Amino acid sequence: MARLLQRSWDTRWATGEEPDSPPWFHTGAAWLAGLLVAGWPHLQYIAARAVDGSDDPWGLLAFITALFFIPSQVLSEPVPSRFRWAMVILVLPLLVILPAWLVDSALLRAAGWVIAVGCLLIRAGAPPAVAGLLLMSLPVMASLDFYAGYPLRWLVSHSNALLLGILGLPVEASGVVLNWAGREVIVDAPCSGLRMLWFGGYLTLVAGALYRLRWGAMLILSICGFMLVLTGNGLRSFVLFFPESGIVHIPDAAHAGIGLVIFAGIALALIQIAGKFPQGGRI
Amino acid sequence: MTAKKYWAALITVTLLTIPGWGTASETNDQTLSPYFHVKSGESGGEDFPLQSTRVEARVSGVIADVRVVQVYQNRGTEAIEADYVFPGSTRAAVYGMEMQIGERRIVAKIKEKEEAKATYEKAKSEGKSAGLLQQHRPNVFRMSVANIMPGDTIQVELRYTELLVPEEGEYEFVYPTVVGPRYSTKTAGTAPPEENWVANPYLAEGEEDPTGFVFHLDLEAGMPVQDLRIPSHSIHPEFPSPTSARVVIKGKPDRDVVVQYRLSGKAIQTGLILHRGEGPEAENFFLLMAQPPERPASTLLPPRDYTFVLDISGSMSGFPLDTAKALLRDLIGSLKPEDTFNVLFFAGSSFVLSPQPLAAHPANIRQAIEAIDRQRGGGGTELLPALQNALKLSDGREVSRSIVVITDGYVNVEAEAFDLIRENLGQANLFSFGIGSSVNRHLIEGMARVGRGEPFVVTAPNQITPQLRKFVAYVSKPVLTGIQIETPGFQVYDVEPLTHPDLFAERPLLVYGKWKGNPGGNIHIRGVNGEGKFEKTIPVFPASTAKDNPALRYLWARARIKELGDYNQLDHNDERVREITNLGLTYNLLTPYTSFVAVDEVVRNPDGSPKHVKQPLALPKGVSNSAIGSAVGTTPEPSEWALMALVAFFLVYLVRRHRRNAHVGREA
């Protein structure tokens, strides 16, 4: 049936007849809808993790943002036939059949699906940052908290101890605990900087998508963003050591305000860096 | 992408941040933690609804039946709902609860946990007095009593039974009185509601606890009692007859009550107890306590590697850490030169004494003791990372390995710890020492159980030497391994446990189960000890059912629940959860998935919204204020909503900047 339709379409093209609008099922919108339907279990998984309290809900924001960056012509233009066959042969099995057999983790299966969707969108003209936004839509915060939370906190506490030592304060870092003059300041779970990392990453990718940065530029911008956030989080914890250890006294609201000011600095720096790269054009 | 889409996206994002405007401080990301009680300051308020606890324990042979009466009073001027978190024995089978209001006595019903909670909440909102008893851990329970009116006195009575199993010929009855403050990394926003008990108020060190406590124990051993000691309290027991004893304690609930005794001639009560149910569909139960072989006098002892894991967190500060240091000094001092060892210290993080195991030479032992003496208690109790590190420590040699964990157990990650040990232990054995007056016995016993070792509890410095001697004997000379049990001629089913771990302690083998038909035949026990194969046959006599033993129903069900769930992390869809729920409902037992609820049908508080009051708990004896950790600062990130508001602001800036640049480019 598809071959008949394809032949009819090609014949009309060969005879010089101005083709009408492509059949609805050849358009990018139809294929994207098909991919979303094929990945429905993954969408359900992502949505369920966002609302059941086991992970943060911000992934949905990243997903919606990614959809906004799909070029409008991708939706209305026909998908080339070789592309359609590639999707049928490679992508649909990748999305639906193989992962269920081979990969036990729902998160990894969902990751495979968003990568496939991202690659297709980029091939069709979307900026590379869209793939990053789709990956950020996955419910990974709980896993990142578990695996990366403690190493990040350890890094923060030891770098703080070093800096404070340079300033003449004999602070000892014991794991994630800073000891000074019989007092303790703990770099505990909410201090790891993972939230700042997520929002910093989101801003980086939106900037990259808006400026239509190429792969190389996007990679450099992402690395810069990561380093800026890590440094900023360390600086935030360093500054907050003083009120938390009792050396200075500040109002409670100023505690969060310091973190927000530092994050604002990070965001501004990211936008300035993104603006330095060549922009626009087809990727 | 059109400008309209940009603005639509930005407006959507900005709307999403509205709930976070003006709130810059973290709320749901704060970890659950105990806190110091602060007087409400309201005149007419009731801060301590639990007036007193009275415990009446009767030990008959090897079975203890315990009645606990909690008296709640409201001396304030408004209706209250009292919430009281209290401990229980890890072996307790809680089978009954009653509530008394004035002359009215209401018998509680056992229901599925959520159903019981819904019944309780409905009764509360309707202005009825109600009681709800829930289990959070095998040794942590919560009693909630709603609509205690001004001037009311409400008595709640619960009953449980447990089996006393002697070890090395000594019986021990423990009644825990206080739940120690637990360290938790679970956040208030993401932890399930049943974990909220961790966030409980505590009285500061030295602060007067107005709650009364009375403990009565009547022991009828059936054989002459000798050497009865109460190491937890300085009181003298009474002996109405050679085979009976009476202990009365009046004081404050700030430490476990521990009663230890032996029977004359170091005898222990063993044998087979049968219970025949009544009615055509009734079930019959049996309990076998079989005398183990004696510990072999000597065996060839291969070199052994020890990893000592020492808790140096805030709750260990003071007496518990001093005791733990003394214990560890003696433990390391008792090693043989061909043994190797290492020490891992943990609180908020962990560090090892040496990257490689150290030979137990005097110089290394001295170095270890100096490092141990330098430690001060402080910080959180990150048990899981410490266990992970300890389980990974190995230099690849083929030696017998023992991991020894020394802690007070004040954490709430018991199930995670059990899973971690079970999955990563390999061929090693794990022994656990609980240090303190009210240790978390569920953690201590559970770690040893899944670690194929033995638990020890040291409540006072004078117990270090006897516990150490036991440990050395256990490690070097197991009593029985490869245990198998058969019952030819005796029709049994639903036997617990299904498999028997190696026996280190001289403790009777316990087998619970059900039987049918006529009791007869034999029970064969086989195993291996240091002197070769071991076999024992116990005949089954119908006369064993002469005495009615209904407690066996509860004890069997509790044993089954223990195997299914005490030391396993269960998902709520797990088949084992359903089985535990059914056991609780069938045998009227409190479990993690079944609760007791009692409702007085008289409406006494038409308003239906009593003030919620959590009963403040005393710190366990010997535990300092640093267990609560009020003096510790933290540096949390700004709230997510505040970060999102900033991101939204910068998105607008980004879009406007991009449009301006694009406009400039077109003009150029």
Side-chain angles (χ1 to χ4, degrees), chain A residues 102-157:
Chain A
L102 295 180
V103 179
D104 198 28
S105 159
L107 181 61
L108 290 178
R109 289 200 299 271
W113 176 70
V114 299
I115 289 170
V117 172
C119 289
L120 288 168
L121 290 174
I122 291 165
R123 183 67 184 85
V130 165
L133 282 168
L134 287 172
L135 277 175
M136 286 191 78
S137 69
L138 295 171
V140 296
M141 285 308 290
S143 303
L144 282 178
D145 257 332
F146 184 79
Y147 291 108
Y150 186 80
L152 285 174
R153 289 155 56 201
W154 185 95
L155 196 62
V156 167
S157 68

Coordinates of all heavy atoms in Angstrom, one line a residue, chain A residues 102-157:
Chain A
L102 N 16.4 -6.4 25.5 CA 17.8 -6.3 25.8 C 18.1 -5.5 27.1 O 19.1 -5.7 27.7 CB 18.6 -5.7 24.6 CG 18.6 -6.5 23.4 CD1 19.4 -5.8 22.3 CD2 19.2 -7.9 23.6
V103 N 17.3 -4.5 27.3 CA 17.6 -3.5 28.3 C 16.6 -3.6 29.4 O 15.4 -3.4 29.2 CB 17.7 -2.1 27.7 CG1 18.0 -1.1 28.8 CG2 18.7 -2.0 26.6
D104 N 17.1 -3.9 30.6 CA 16.2 -4.1 31.7 C 15.7 -2.7 32.3 O 14.7 -2.7 33.0 CB 16.9 -4.9 32.8 CG 15.9 -5.5 33.7 OD1 14.7 -5.7 33.3 OD2 16.2 -5.7 34.9
S105 N 16.5 -1.7 32.1 CA 16.2 -0.4 32.8 C 15.3 0.4 32.0 O 15.5 0.7 30.9 CB 17.5 0.3 33.1 OG 17.3 1.7 33.3
A106 N 14.2 0.9 32.7 CA 13.2 1.7 32.0 C 13.9 3.1 31.6 O 13.6 3.6 30.6 CB 12.0 2.0 32.9
L107 N 14.8 3.5 32.5 CA 15.4 4.8 32.2 C 16.3 4.7 30.9 O 16.3 5.6 30.1 CB 16.3 5.2 33.4 CG 17.1 6.5 33.3 CD1 16.1 7.7 33.2 CD2 17.9 6.7 34.5
L108 N 17.0 3.6 30.8 CA 17.9 3.4 29.6 C 17.1 3.3 28.4 O 17.4 3.8 27.3 CB 18.8 2.2 29.8 CG 19.9 2.4 30.8 CD1 20.8 1.2 30.9 CD2 20.8 3.6 30.5
R109 N 15.9 2.6 28.5 CA 15.1 2.4 27.3 C 14.5 3.8 26.9 O 14.5 4.2 25.7 CB 13.9 1.5 27.6 CG 14.3 0.0 27.7 CD 13.1 -0.9 27.6 NE 12.1 -0.7 28.5 CZ 12.0 -1.3 29.7 NH1 13.0 -2.1 30.1 NH2 11.0 -1.0 30.6
A110 N 14.1 4.6 27.9 CA 13.6 5.9 27.6 C 14.7 6.8 27.0 O 14.5 7.6 26.0 CB 13.0 6.6 28.8
A111 N 15.9 6.6 27.4 CA 17.1 7.4 26.9 C 17.3 7.0 25.4 O 17.5 7.9 24.6 CB 18.3 7.1 27.7
G112 N 17.2 5.7 25.1 CA 17.3 5.3 23.7 C 16.3 5.9 22.8 O 16.6 6.4 21.7
W113 N 15.1 6.0 23.3 CA 14.0 6.6 22.6 C 14.2 8.1 22.3 O 14.1 8.6 21.2 CB 12.7 6.4 23.3 CG 11.5 7.1 22.6 CD1 10.9 6.7 21.4 CD2 10.8 8.2 23.1 NE1 9.9 7.6 21.2 CE2 9.8 8.5 22.2 CE3 10.9 9.0 24.2 CZ2 8.9 9.6 22.3 CZ3 10.0 10.1 24.4 CH2 9.0 10.3 23.5
V114 N 14.6 8.8 23.4 CA 14.8 10.3 23.2 C 16.0 10.6 22.3 O 16.0 11.5 21.6 CB 14.9 11.1 24.6 CG1 13.7 10.9 25.4 CG2 16.1 10.7 25.3
I115 N 17.0 9.7 22.4 CA 18.2 9.9 21.5 C 17.7 9.7 20.1 O 18.1 10.5 19.2 CB 19.3 8.9 21.9 CG1 20.0 9.3 23.2 CG2 20.4 8.9 20.8 CD1 20.9 8.3 23.8
A116 N 16.9 8.7 19.8 CA 16.4 8.4 18.5 C 15.6 9.6 18.0 O 15.8 10.1 16.8 CB 15.6 7.2 18.4
V117 N 14.7 10.1 18.8 CA 13.9 11.3 18.4 C 14.8 12.5 18.1 O 14.6 13.2 17.2 CB 12.9 11.6 19.5 CG1 12.1 12.9 19.2 CG2 11.9 10.4 19.6
G118 N 15.8 12.7 19.0 CA 16.7 13.8 18.9 C 17.4 13.8 17.6 O 17.6 14.8 16.9
C119 N 18.0 12.6 17.3 CA 18.8 12.5 16.1 C 17.9 12.8 14.9 O 18.4 13.4 13.9 CB 19.4 11.0 16.0 SG 20.6 10.7 17.2
L120 N 16.7 12.3 14.9 CA 15.8 12.5 13.7 C 15.5 14.0 13.5 O 15.6 14.6 12.4 CB 14.5 11.7 13.9 CG 14.7 10.2 13.7 CD1 13.4 9.5 14.2 CD2 15.0 9.9 12.2
L121 N 15.3 14.7 14.7 CA 15.0 16.1 14.6 C 16.2 16.9 14.1 O 16.0 17.8 13.3 CB 14.5 16.6 16.0 CG 13.1 16.1 16.4 CD1 12.9 16.5 17.9 CD2 12.0 16.6 15.5
I122 N 17.3 16.5 14.6 CA 18.5 17.2 14.2 C 18.8 17.0 12.7 O 19.2 17.9 12.0 CB 19.7 16.8 15.0 CG1 19.5 17.3 16.5 CG2 21.1 17.3 14.5 CD1 20.5 16.6 17.5
R123 N 18.6 15.8 12.3 CA 18.8 15.5 10.8 C 17.8 16.3 10.0 O 18.2 16.7 8.9 CB 18.6 14.0 10.6 CG 18.8 13.5 9.2 CD 20.3 13.6 8.8 NE 20.4 13.3 7.4 CZ 20.3 14.1 6.4 NH1 19.9 15.4 6.6 NH2 20.5 13.7 5.1
A124 N 16.7 16.6 10.6 CA 15.7 17.3 9.8 C 15.9 18.8 10.0 O 15.1 19.6 9.4 CB 14.3 16.9 10.3
G125 N 16.9 19.3 10.7 CA 17.2 20.7 10.8 C 17.1 21.4 12.1 O 17.3 22.6 12.3
A126 N 16.7 20.6 13.2 CA 16.7 21.2 14.5 C 18.1 21.4 15.0 O 19.0 20.6 14.6 CB 15.9 20.3 15.4
P127 N 18.3 22.4 15.9 CA 19.7 22.6 16.4 C 20.1 21.4 17.3 O 19.2 20.8 18.0 CB 19.6 23.9 17.2 CG 18.1 24.1 17.5 CD 17.4 23.4 16.4
P128 N 21.4 21.1 17.5 CA 21.9 20.0 18.3 C 21.4 20.1 19.7 O 21.2 19.1 20.4 CB 23.4 20.0 18.2 CG 23.7 20.8 16.9 CD 22.5 21.7 16.7
A129 N 21.2 21.3 20.2 CA 20.8 21.5 21.6 C 19.5 20.8 21.9 O 19.2 20.4 23.1 CB 20.7 23.0 22.0
V130 N 18.7 20.6 20.9 CA 17.4 19.9 21.1 C 17.6 18.5 21.7 O 16.9 18.0 22.5 CB 16.6 19.8 19.8 CG1 15.5 18.8 19.9 CG2 16.1 21.2 19.4
A131 N 18.7 17.8 21.2 CA 19.0 16.5 21.7 C 19.3 16.6 23.2 O 18.9 15.7 24.0 CB 20.1 15.8 21.0
G132 N 20.0 17.6 23.6 CA 20.4 17.8 25.0 C 19.1 18.0 25.8 O 19.0 17.5 26.9
L133 N 18.2 18.8 25.3 CA 17.0 19.1 26.0 C 16.1 17.9 26.2 O 15.5 17.6 27.2 CB 16.2 20.2 25.3 CG 16.7 21.6 25.5 CD1 16.0 22.6 24.5 CD2 16.5 22.1 26.9
L134 N 16.1 17.1 25.1 CA 15.3 15.8 25.3 C 16.0 14.9 26.3 O 15.3 14.2 27.1 CB 15.3 15.1 23.9 CG 14.4 15.8 22.9 CD1 14.5 15.1 21.5 CD2 12.9 15.7 23.3
L135 N 17.3 14.9 26.3 CA 17.9 14.0 27.4 C 17.7 14.6 28.8 O 17.5 13.8 29.7 CB 19.4 14.0 27.1 CG 19.9 12.9 26.1 CD1 21.4 13.1 25.8 CD2 19.6 11.5 26.6
M136 N 17.6 15.9 28.9 CA 17.3 16.4 30.2 C 15.9 16.2 30.6 O 15.5 16.4 31.8 CB 17.5 18.0 30.2 CG 19.0 18.3 30.2 SD 19.3 20.0 30.5 CE 19.1 20.1 32.2
S137 N 15.0 15.8 29.7 CA 13.6 15.5 30.1 C 13.5 14.1 30.8 O 12.5 13.8 31.4 CB 12.7 15.4 28.8 OG 13.0 14.3 28.1
L138 N 14.6 13.4 30.8 CA 14.6 12.1 31.5 C 14.6 12.3 33.0 O 15.3 13.2 33.5 CB 15.8 11.2 31.1 CG 15.7 10.8 29.6 CD1 17.1 10.1 29.2 CD2 14.6 9.8 29.3
P139 N 14.0 11.4 33.8 CA 14.0 11.5 35.3 C 15.3 11.0 35.9 O 15.4 9.9 36.3 CB 12.8 10.6 35.7 CG 12.7 9.6 34.6 CD 13.1 10.2 33.3
V140 N 16.3 11.8 35.8 CA 17.7 11.3 36.3 C 18.1 12.0 37.6 O 19.2 11.6 38.1 CB 18.8 11.6 35.2 CG1 18.5 10.8 33.9 CG2 18.8 13.1 34.9
M141 N 17.3 12.9 38.1 CA 17.8 13.6 39.3 C 18.1 12.7 40.5 O 19.0 12.8 41.2 CB 16.9 14.8 39.7 CG 17.0 16.0 38.8 SD 18.6 16.6 38.5 CE 19.0 17.3 40.1
A142 N 17.1 11.8 40.7 CA 17.3 10.8 41.8 C 18.5 10.0 41.6 O 19.3 9.8 42.6 CB 16.0 10.0 41.9
S143 N 18.8 9.5 40.4 CA 20.0 8.7 40.2 C 21.2 9.6 40.3 O 22.2 9.1 40.9 CB 19.9 8.1 38.7 OG 18.8 7.4 38.6
L144 N 21.2 10.8 39.8 CA 22.3 11.7 39.9 C 22.6 12.0 41.4 O 23.8 12.0 41.9 CB 22.1 13.0 39.2 CG 22.3 13.0 37.7 CD1 22.0 14.4 37.1 CD2 23.7 12.6 37.3
D145 N 21.5 12.2 42.2 CA 21.7 12.4 43.6 C 22.4 11.3 44.3 O 23.3 11.4 45.1 CB 20.3 12.5 44.3 CG 20.0 14.0 44.6 OD1 20.9 14.8 44.8 OD2 18.8 14.3 44.6
F146 N 22.1 10.1 43.9 CA 22.6 8.9 44.5 C 24.1 8.7 44.1 O 24.9 8.4 44.9 CB 21.8 7.6 44.1 CG 22.2 6.4 44.7 CD1 21.9 6.1 46.0 CD2 23.0 5.4 44.0 CE1 22.3 4.9 46.7 CE2 23.4 4.3 44.7 CZ 23.0 4.0 46.0
Y147 N 24.4 8.8 42.8 CA 25.7 8.5 42.3 C 26.7 9.6 42.4 O 27.9 9.5 42.7 CB 25.7 7.9 40.9 CG 25.0 6.6 40.8 CD1 23.8 6.4 40.2 CD2 25.7 5.4 41.3 CE1 23.2 5.2 40.2 CE2 25.1 4.2 41.2 CZ 23.8 4.1 40.7 OH 23.2 2.8 40.6
A148 N 26.2 10.8 42.0 CA 27.1 12.0 41.9 C 27.0 12.9 43.1 O 27.9 13.8 43.3 CB 26.8 12.7 40.6
G149 N 25.9 12.8 43.9 CA 25.7 13.7 45.0 C 26.9 13.7 46.0 O 27.5 14.8 46.3
Y150 N 27.3 12.6 46.5 CA 28.4 12.5 47.4 C 29.7 13.0 46.9 O 30.4 13.8 47.5 CB 28.5 11.1 48.0 CG 29.5 11.1 49.2 CD1 29.2 11.6 50.4 CD2 30.9 10.7 48.9 CE1 30.2 11.6 51.4 CE2 31.8 10.7 49.9 CZ 31.4 11.1 51.2 OH 32.4 11.1 52.2
P151 N 30.1 12.5 45.6 CA 31.4 13.1 45.1 C 31.4 14.6 44.9 O 32.4 15.2 45.2 CB 31.5 12.4 43.7 CG 30.7 11.1 43.8 CD 29.6 11.5 44.8
L152 N 30.3 15.1 44.5 CA 30.2 16.6 44.3 C 30.4 17.3 45.7 O 31.1 18.3 45.8 CB 28.9 17.0 43.7 CG 28.7 16.7 42.2 CD1 27.3 17.0 41.7 CD2 29.8 17.5 41.4
R153 N 29.7 16.8 46.7 CA 29.8 17.3 48.0 C 31.2 17.2 48.5 O 31.7 18.2 49.2 CB 28.8 16.7 48.9 CG 27.4 17.0 48.6 CD 26.4 15.9 49.1 NE 26.5 15.7 50.5 CZ 26.1 14.5 51.1 NH1 25.6 13.6 50.4 NH2 26.3 14.4 52.4
W154 N 31.8 16.1 48.3 CA 33.2 15.9 48.8 C 34.1 17.0 48.1 O 35.0 17.6 48.7 CB 33.7 14.5 48.4 CG 35.0 14.1 48.9 CD1 35.3 13.4 50.0 CD2 36.3 14.4 48.3 NE1 36.6 13.3 50.2 CE2 37.3 13.8 49.1 CE3 36.7 15.0 47.1 CZ2 38.6 13.9 48.8 CZ3 38.0 15.1 46.8 CH2 39.0 14.5 47.7
L155 N 33.9 17.2 46.8 CA 34.7 18.2 46.1 C 34.5 19.6 46.6 O 35.5 20.3 46.9 CB 34.2 18.2 44.6 CG 35.1 18.8 43.5 CD1 36.4 18.1 43.5 CD2 34.4 18.7 42.2
V156 N 33.3 19.9 46.9 CA 33.0 21.2 47.5 C 33.6 21.4 48.9 O 34.3 22.4 49.1 CB 31.4 21.4 47.6 CG1 31.1 22.6 48.5 CG2 30.8 21.5 46.3
S157 N 33.5 20.3 49.7 CA 34.0 20.5 51.1 C 35.6 20.6 51.0 O 36.2 21.4 51.7 CB 33.6 19.3 52.0 OG 34.2 18.1 51.6

